Amino acid sequence: QVQLVESGGGLVQAGGSLNLTCAASVTIATITTMGWYRQAPGKQRELVAVITSGGSANYADFVKGRFTISRDNAKNLVYLQMNSLNPEDTAVYYCHTQYRYRFVASTYTSWGQGTQVTVSS
C-alpha cells in the first residue's frame, strides 16, 4: 500500500503563488502516475494535473499556463507549482497515485488526506 501526505497549502492573495508537495511512502510497490485533484465546496472532485513516471504531464484546461506539475522519482515526491492564483482556485487539493506490484496485473490507487488552498480576492 502507498500512503500519501500533502503539504504546502495555505492562504494566499489573488495573483500569488503556492507550491504543493506530496510525499509517497512506498515499500514494494512501483508508482506509475502521480497527480493532483481538487474539490471545492459543493462541487465534485476534479483533475488538476497528472504526470507519468517518464515525466509526461497533462493539465486541466483551467490551469494550463499557470500550474506546473513535476516529480522526483527517486524520492517519490510530486509537486504542484501554482502561479497566478485566483479565488476560483480555492479548494482542497488531493494527491493521487496509481501503483503496481511486481508480477501482479492489477493497478491500485491511493489518495492523500488533502491540503486546503484558499485564495482571497
Side-chain angles (χ1 to χ4, degrees), residues 27-75:
T27 53
I28 60 174
T30 298
I31 292 177
T32 54
T33 62
M34 300 188 79
W36 292 93
Y37 289 70
R38 71 184 188 185
Q39 187 167 18
K43 295 187 177 180
Q44 291 187 334
R45 191 172 299 188
E46 59 185 357
L47 173 69
V48 176
V50 293
I51 186 168
T52 67
S53 56
S56 178
N58 285 295
Y59 298 90
D61 287 342
F62 54 79
V63 302
K64 284 183 179 178
R66 300 188 299 128
F67 292 8
T68 302
I69 189 170
S70 60
R71 64 188 283 178
D72 183 333
N73 290 333
K75 297 180 179 179

Side-chain angles (χ1 to χ4, degrees), residues 37-117:
Y37 289 70
R38 71 184 188 185
Q39 187 167 18
K43 295 187 177 180
Q44 291 187 334
R45 191 172 299 188
E46 59 185 357
L47 173 69
V48 176
V50 293
I51 186 168
T52 67
S53 56
S56 178
N58 285 295
Y59 298 90
D61 287 342
F62 54 79
V63 302
K64 284 183 179 178
R66 300 188 299 128
F67 292 8
T68 302
I69 189 170
S70 60
R71 64 188 283 178
D72 183 333
N73 290 333
K75 297 180 179 179
N76 293 316
L77 297 171
V78 63
Y79 307 98
L80 186 67
Q81 177 65 43
M82 305 186 292
N83 299 325
S84 302
L85 286 162
N86 57 63
E88 290 70 36
D89 294 316
T90 295
V92 177
Y93 284 70
Y94 295 92
C95 183
H96 174 266
T97 186
Q98 291 185 330
Y99 60 97
R100 299 179 60 188
Y101 294 103
R102 193 176 184 184
F103 305 126
V104 178
S106 300
T107 298
Y108 302 87
T109 63
S110 185
W111 291 92
Q113 81 288 351
T115 184
Q116 177 69 47
V117 171

